[in-house]
């Protein structure tokens, strides 16, 4: 596929969802010519005035993430907001996604003209997924979306990755007893700006209320962060079934975003995220070069045999390869 | 700290746990001189004949992972086996660990003279944790341990990482209904050699049996892998409280390991893992060099300002930095 990049950029800027989908396909591509086009397209579209609220959303399987996004997203579009949903799912790298596809769980939202839903790409490594998602976020902003929801599953590295491309980070959890509370890692608690206890309806309502109180208590034990106004991070109950609590959750997100804007944290956080992304891009590019260098490839193949049979440790073999490389500054 | 590496290697080879602990501290260190020593120590100790059964163990918070390791590990040491327990916990990178330390949950095992327990290191990036854990596994093998349990939490990249340094991968889950089954990602299901449904005791026993049957059914839906004998992967119930099912689980692990040894999969898998680790070491070393190069650092600082304010996309800025680097093969 060749792209008339100017036309694509122009159509994308008008908010055309098909142009947006095509542009995301371009940034997802592994082909070198597509990568060059993607870089050019992103440079054309760079416009700091087009800015969405980027909300990272995490929760382990079973907490009702898709149902939440369906209900929450529909509420935002009903207010006239344009909402994009992107996903970072490291487990889909291997098999191409969860047993149930996400889009089928967001039927209403996927038909909504103010919404745009894009499932996780099936890329081979988390680094690739990260780049594609960061660039897709930029494209959604250039297309004039007001809110970009970046969804991820559970604990681990994918959560950190999503937090690093979001303005706000929301952790969705299920109602549960004291045991579960102990199981939540401090690292995740400290990343969250808002903890939403889902399924606060029917039989589960009182359990959800208790769980939210438990988490609110736990959050108070953590060190106050400079980027938080009084009372944040908060733990609230929501129900994606009855819509209860969704408006309150949205108000809290807006209040937090406004406060951070007013106090300089918004700009500082985005600048820091951009800087980190830039460094990451340089690293990735460097690795791609190394893979193309014949001398390095030859040395690695030669040492690989001894590494494979266990007589030479990988660290010692790597030291030998690196010793034969030219200095980066040796021009 | 300076190390007489020959003495350390000798003591470690006799199975001395203090020497093992010191050696792991050395591979965990970020100092350049320590790294050189660690590389030398690992080369001294490289001995393909000293091989443990490396068991990767994953489970989300709350499934009873520590209790399981305590019960399972104690059973192995009672048979005369020497058992090492290592942990990969990406969330501990930020805050130094979970709210409850793991060692306090494995009181019996941590006092057992045939066991060695080492908590997750608090390193800043998953790559560092991965290297340290892989090298710690090698050190445990050199120290003559028979079984190395490598524990990790939940879904995501840390699970893949642990699977890539294990001979067997065990997924520990809690009893639950059909909903949870749908939530398990195929990528994780396909990584597991054995799914153990924990808490199969008291009130939970019948739920655990049902869950195991559900997972066994789901596993049958997956494509057969060449490295599996008939009937694998399996789903079984265990109870870390009553010890029920632990011996059966161990028998299955041994049977699977023996089959893979006999059919060449064991050697092939280890060779492939070593090759991947080698490539990773080369990448890490290359990145470390880049950080030390003044010209690259200067270019990055200059472009960083435009990246930070959003007028230059990170991908375009990275392309400019990479364009000024010398060719890797330009010697």
């Amino acid at each position: 596929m060749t792209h008339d990049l100017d036309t694509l950029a122009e159509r994308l800027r008008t908010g055309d969802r098909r142009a947006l989908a095509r542009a995301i396909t371009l940034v997802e591509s592994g082909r070198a010519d597509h990568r060059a086009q993607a870089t050019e397209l992103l440079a054309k579209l760079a416009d700091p005035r087009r800015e969405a609220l980027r909300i990272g959303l995490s929760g382990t399987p079973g907490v009702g993430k898709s149902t939440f996004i369906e209900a929450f997203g529909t509420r935002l579009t009903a207010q006239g907001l344009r909402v994009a949903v992107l996903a970072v799912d490291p487990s889909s790298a291997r098999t191409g996604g969860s047993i149930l596809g996400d889009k089928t769980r967001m039927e209403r939202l996927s038909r909504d003209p103010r919404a745009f839903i894009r499932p996780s790409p099936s890329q081979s490594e988390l680094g690739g997924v990260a780049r594609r998602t960061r660039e897709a976020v930029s494209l959604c902003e250039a297309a004039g979306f007001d809110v970009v929801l970046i969804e991820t599953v559970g604990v681990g590295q994918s959560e950190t990755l999503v937090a690093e491309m979001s303005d706000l980070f929301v952790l969705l959890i299920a109602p549960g007893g004291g045991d579960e509370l102990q199981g939540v890692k401090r690292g995740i608690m400290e990343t969250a700006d808002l903890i939403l206890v889902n399924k606060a309806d029917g039989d589960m309502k009182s359990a959800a209320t208790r769980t939210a109180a438990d988490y609110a208590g736990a959050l108070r034990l953590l060190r106050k962060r400079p980027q938080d106004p009084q009372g944040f991070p908060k733990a609230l109950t929501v129900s994606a079934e009855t819509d209860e609590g969704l408006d309150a959750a949205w108000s809290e997100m807006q209040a937090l975003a406004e406060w951070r804007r007013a106090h300089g944290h918004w700009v500082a956080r985005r600048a820091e995220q951009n800087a980190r992304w830039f460094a990451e891009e340089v690293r990735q590019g460097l690795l791609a070069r190394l893979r193309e260098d014949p001398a390095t490839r030859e040395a690695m193949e030669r040492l690989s045999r001894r590494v494979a049979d266990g007589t030479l440790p990988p660290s010692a073999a790597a030291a030998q390869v690196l010793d034969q490389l030219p200095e980066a500054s040796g021009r």
Side-chain angles (χ1 to χ4, degrees), chain A:
Chain A
M1 66 182 170
T2 43
H3 291 88
D4 180 337
L5 292 180
D6 282 321
T7 311
L8 185 59
E10 209 35 72
R11 282 181 49 211
L12 192 146
R13 266 197 216 95
T14 67
D16 183 307
R17 292 188 296 175
R18 281 177 54 204
L20 176 58
R22 266 183 73 197
I24 294 178
T25 301
L26 188 63
V27 302
E28 283 177 0
S29 172
R31 271 175 49 182
D33 57 333
H34 288 169
R35 175 87 314 248
Q37 288 181 324
T39 302
E40 197 184 331
L41 179 66
L42 287 160
K44 275 185 205 301
L45 291 168
D47 181 357
R49 290 162 306 175
R50 291 214 170 185
E51 212 172 54
L53 176 59
R54 304 174 184 172
I55 304 173
L57 180 72
S58 176
T60 46
V63 303
K65 230 164 31 262
S66 302
T67 325
F68 172 82
I69 294 173
E70 165 92 337
F72 185 68
T74 306
R75 253 180 132 74
L76 298 187
T77 59
Q79 295 179 25
L81 294 168
R82 298 185 64 218
V83 177
V85 180
L86 304 171
V88 172
D89 179 1
S91 66
S92 75
R94 190 177 280 252
T95 56
S98 57
I99 291 176
L100 300 181
D102 277 329
K103 234 172 164 172
T104 61
R105 301 198 208 165
M106 302 184 210
E107 258 188 78
R108 235 186 327 161
L109 197 62
S110 63
R111 288 195 310 265
D112 190 323
R114 292 206 188 89
F116 175 83
I117 301 180
R118 182 84 175 195
S120 191
S122 44
Q123 297 226 354
S124 55
E125 44 160 8
L126 200 62
V129 176
R131 167 198 266 174
R132 164 271 181 194
T133 309
R134 286 196 191 97
E135 293 184 342
V137 169
S138 298
L139 293 171
C140 292
E141 293 191 314
F145 280 84
D146 303 294
V147 175
V148 181
L149 278 169
I150 314 153
E151 178 206 347
T152 190
V153 61
V155 294
Q157 199 70 353
S158 71
E159 199 157 49
T160 307
L161 194 149
V162 168
E164 283 173 358
M165 57 178 88
S166 306
D167 300 312
L168 304 181
F169 193 73
V170 177
L171 182 62
L172 200 66
I173 59 170
D179 276 3
E180 281 88 326
L181 185 67
Q182 294 175 1
V184 169
K185 300 285 170 173
R186 280 179 64 187
I188 294 168
M189 293 270 279
E190 293 193 358
T191 302
D193 294 308
L194 211 54
I195 293 180
L196 298 180
V197 185
N198 195 17
K199 304 186 181 176
D201 47 55
D203 291 351
M204 304 282 257
K205 189 157 185 175
S206 63
T209 306
R210 265 199 315 278
T211 303
D214 287 347
Y215 276 94
L219 288 171
R220 277 191 293 271
L221 297 177
L222 299 175
R223 195 182 60 245
K224 178 133 171 26
R225 303 174 303 183
Q227 71 269 31
D228 290 331
Q230 193 60 39
F232 279 91
K234 288 188 182 180
L236 306 171
T237 58
V238 293
S239 165
E241 290 295 330
T242 67
D243 285 2
E244 223 175 290
L246 294 181
D247 287 342
W250 175 234
S251 297
E252 296 291 355
M253 291 180 210
Q254 286 179 293
L256 180 58
E258 279 316 309
W259 189 89
R260 286 190 180 160
R261 269 186 198 283
H263 291 78
H265 296 294
W266 177 289
V267 166
R269 180 170 173 148
R270 288 221 166 184
E272 191 201 322
Q273 288 175 346
N274 282 338
R276 205 180 296 144
W277 177 12
F278 171 35
E280 178 61 25
E281 284 280 327
V282 172
R283 278 195 290 272
Q284 294 290 338
L286 202 73
L287 297 182
R289 277 185 171 220
L290 183 74
R291 282 191 288 268
E292 289 159 12
D293 175 52
T296 307
R297 211 159 35 191
E298 186 275 322
M300 289 192 68
E301 276 165 19
R302 184 165 38 80
L303 295 167
S304 282
R305 285 186 287 277
R306 293 184 56 208
V307 169
D309 70 17
T311 51
L312 185 67
S315 50
Q320 288 187 36
V321 172
L322 292 166
D323 282 349
Q324 68 145 40
L325 285 178
E327 293 300 315
S329 55
R331 284 175 296 159

